Amino acid sequence: MYNHEIHTPIATKSFLTMGIIALVAVLGYMILRFSPIEKMPPLFAVLCISALYLGIAECILWCVQIFNALDKDMILLCLFPLNWVLIAIRTIKDVVHQQTFKKENVSHKYKHLVILLNNTSNWPWIAFLAAIPLLGILVAVLILFGQEPDSFIKAWTETADWNLSQKVAPQNIYRDEHYLCTVAAGGHPTIVKPMRTGKRHGHRVIVNRQLCIANAFEQLLEERTPNFHRFVRTLYDKTGYPIAKHIQSPYIADAIYFIMKPLEWIFLFFLYMFDAKPENRIAVQYPHSVPPTLNSAFYQQK
């Protein structure tokens, strides 16, 4: 990941599970909201309320996952799920108050169960118990589509940087959006051919040969003609940033990589023309540690 990007609060491999549960919850709400309760089978109504409970659980877990009192954006992202929780509770309350008891003459051995289901005031707690088997049915169906049995749990724990996360993400790679070569190094690997990571301004960056050649040429220019280097550096800083800040896609980065190719060949020509050990200079660009000096043993042994 680059710069200030953050990981998703829900593990991507569990998107299907979370999406289906959300869809079932919305369907349950639509049925309870727009269908006459007196014409609805009691057990079916109970399952609709169970679907609402699953939606409530998903919303609460979302809020727990992302809530950060110091980040106003995270607080705003909690508003919609909290609103859903309130709507679901209001819907369940309206269903219970619409009709408290359905009278039926029953005489068979299951009459107590029938009486229990016909009393709508019992539906909320019955639906709460039924939410677990409903979730089990959904999970069983989702297994056929490649989801794991515990994907509802892993959706929150198989993440990084969030409250319920159990994974530790690697440090983000820094892409300096001021400079074309640095941005171009973030293109598709098969195109830009990254070699390793390195350090730039204290951040990890992706390094490819084009970037190393460009930086080595600038270093050579600074050593041999410091005044001209300052002029070139100032000019590049003024023109490079307005272009580089619009490079937001790997495909555009690939295009910049190809556009910079002729300059790369020119830089390489000057390095081989005026530097006794050009490949050594190229190799030590963007290191993880302090690069060796020109008089160090690294250069002498080469």
Side-chain angles (χ1 to χ4, degrees), residues 53-72:
Y53 284 146
L54 293 181
I56 290 173
E58 193 170 271
C59 290
I60 292 175
L61 286 172
W62 169 270
C63 293
V64 172
Q65 177 80 312
I66 72 169
F67 181 76
N68 185 348
L70 300 178
D71 193 334
K72 294 182 180 180

Side-chain angles (χ1 to χ4, degrees), residues 17-224:
T17 296
M18 306 308 293
I20 292 299
I21 292 176
L23 178 61
V24 169
V26 171
L27 288 175
Y29 165 76
M30 298 295 288
I31 292 171
L32 293 174
R33 177 68 177 79
F34 299 105
S35 298
I37 299 300
E38 62 274 5
K39 297 181 180 180
M40 190 179 301
L43 187 57
F44 182 72
V46 167
L47 288 177
C48 289
I49 297 176
S50 297
L52 287 183
Y53 284 146
L54 293 181
I56 290 173
E58 193 170 271
C59 290
I60 292 175
L61 286 172
W62 169 270
C63 293
V64 172
Q65 177 80 312
I66 72 169
F67 181 76
N68 185 348
L70 300 178
D71 193 334
K72 294 182 180 180
D73 293 335
M74 294 300 105
I75 296 176
L76 291 176
L77 288 175
C78 292
L79 293 180
F80 179 81
L82 288 176
N83 190 44
W84 163 263
V85 171
L86 295 177
I87 291 175
I89 294 174
R90 174 67 181 271
T91 302
I92 295 171
K93 179 181 176 182
D94 290 344
V95 168
V96 171
H97 288 171
Q98 280 187 31
Q99 187 172 345
T100 59
F101 188 77
K102 292 183 178 181
K103 294 183 178 180
E104 288 188 18
N105 295 322
V106 290
S107 58
H108 51 75
K109 59 182 180 179
Y110 298 113
K111 65 178 181 179
H112 296 294
L113 180 61
V114 173
I115 294 174
L116 186 69
L117 286 174
N118 281 340
N119 190 346
T120 56
S121 62
N122 294 324
W123 286 2
W125 67 265
I126 297 175
F128 185 81
L129 298 177
I132 296 177
L134 177 61
L135 178 61
I137 294 172
L138 294 176
V139 169
V141 173
L142 287 166
I143 289 175
L144 301 177
F145 294 91
Q147 295 291 286
E148 298 180 7
D150 56 349
S151 57
F152 182 75
I153 302 299
K154 287 186 174 180
W156 312 103
T157 59
E158 296 286 306
T159 56
D161 304 329
W162 304 96
N163 294 328
L164 300 176
S165 300
Q166 293 186 356
K167 299 295 181 181
V168 178
Q171 181 183 358
N172 283 15
I173 293 174
Y174 184 74
R175 184 165 61 192
D176 194 334
E177 297 176 350
H178 286 68
Y179 304 108
L180 299 180
C181 286
T182 312
V183 176
H188 292 95
T190 55
I191 302 295
V192 302
K193 298 177 177 61
M195 301 184 301
R196 55 179 172 81
T197 59
K199 288 282 188 175
R200 180 186 179 90
H201 300 157
H203 302 283
R204 288 174 65 239
V205 295
I206 294 177
V207 176
N208 64 353
R209 182 167 173 81
Q210 184 181 80
L211 181 56
C212 288
I213 289 174
N215 209 61
F217 172 75
E218 182 182 359
Q219 186 183 66
L220 178 67
L221 201 65
E222 185 178 16
E223 291 174 1
R224 304 294 177 85

